[in-house]
Amino acid sequence: LSLNAVKAVEVTEVLIEPENYKATGFGNVTPLTYLVNQKGEAVFKQAGVARDLARHFTNTKPIDSSDNDLAMLSKQLPDDYDFSDYDYTLFIVRAQKDEHCPPCKKQNSINEKVMERLNELRVHYVKILEKPADSVTVTIVSEEEYNRLTGRGN
């Protein structure tokens, strides 16, 4: 068995109906990116585009909201899911159709490029996708306005 035959990245898609999405606790900002280590600790979380995702695969300290984030994320996984089966589990929460969310499309592209470069790690890439409602209204705002709306400015 050659090393090339070993699949370093496993991809899972979880589809959530629009009427069930609010109960997940993820909120209304997408994309959301989470990185969970082998110990089941969230070591990275980013609302919006995480351009520097690759560097967070070296994080070792859990983030402050790790327990709460893990509780939300675990509900989207099978009951017997074991984080120790992988070096990392990467989650992206986004709209199912990228054309509904240009930042989601950008983040998905970043994630795919990072996955291609991480062939020495065993990564489970979990895409949590909100199925679009029959009609969708999208408001695109500048990064400055986004920061103001989410309280990240100052």
Side-chain angles (χ1 to χ4, degrees):
L1 181 69
S2 75
L3 287 177
N4 293 338
V6 176
K7 188 173 182 180
V9 176
E10 181 179 332
V11 179
T12 301
E13 288 190 357
V14 178
L15 296 177
I16 301 173
E17 295 292 335
E19 62 271 14
N20 299 331
Y21 186 79
K22 187 173 183 177
T24 65
F26 291 123
N28 294 324
V29 175
T30 58
L32 289 172
T33 304
Y34 298 87
L35 187 60
V36 178
N37 66 18
Q38 219 172 19
K39 298 176 191 172
E41 302 166 325
V43 295
F44 175 72
K45 173 184 178 179
Q46 174 77 44
V49 178
R51 290 176 176 86
D52 62 346
L53 176 64
R55 75 177 183 91
H56 295 286
F57 279 84
T58 60
N59 291 354
T60 56
K61 184 179 176 196
I63 59 175
D64 290 341
S65 62
S66 179
D67 291 342
N68 292 336
D69 294 333
L70 206 58
M72 287 188 313
L73 296 167
S74 294
K75 290 177 186 173
Q76 308 307 320
L77 298 169
D79 289 340
D80 61 347
Y81 188 82
D82 188 351
F83 287 100
S84 67
D85 289 346
Y86 304 92
D87 294 314
Y88 289 94
T89 303
L90 173 65
F91 293 88
I92 183 172
V93 181
R94 65 182 180 89
Q96 183 182 9
K97 297 196 178 288
D98 283 336
E99 62 269 17
H100 291 168
C101 175
C104 294
K105 184 175 185 175
K106 184 173 194 77
Q107 187 63 54
N108 192 52
S109 175
I110 290 169
N111 291 2
E112 298 291 338
K113 288 176 185 170
V114 168
M115 294 297 102
E116 288 173 14
R117 294 188 355 221
L118 294 176
N119 47 2
E120 75 281 359
L121 295 175
R122 290 171 299 133
V123 179
H124 187 193
Y125 182 24
V126 181
K127 299 177 181 183
I128 301 173
L129 309 171
E130 179 185 7
K131 290 175 87 173
D134 291 337
S135 64
V136 175
T137 301
V138 175
T139 304
I140 305 296
V141 297
S142 68
E143 190 166 351
E144 292 80 20
E145 179 68 3
Y146 170 79
N147 289 338
R148 188 187 68 74
L149 291 169
T150 59
R152 292 179 179 209
N154 306 355

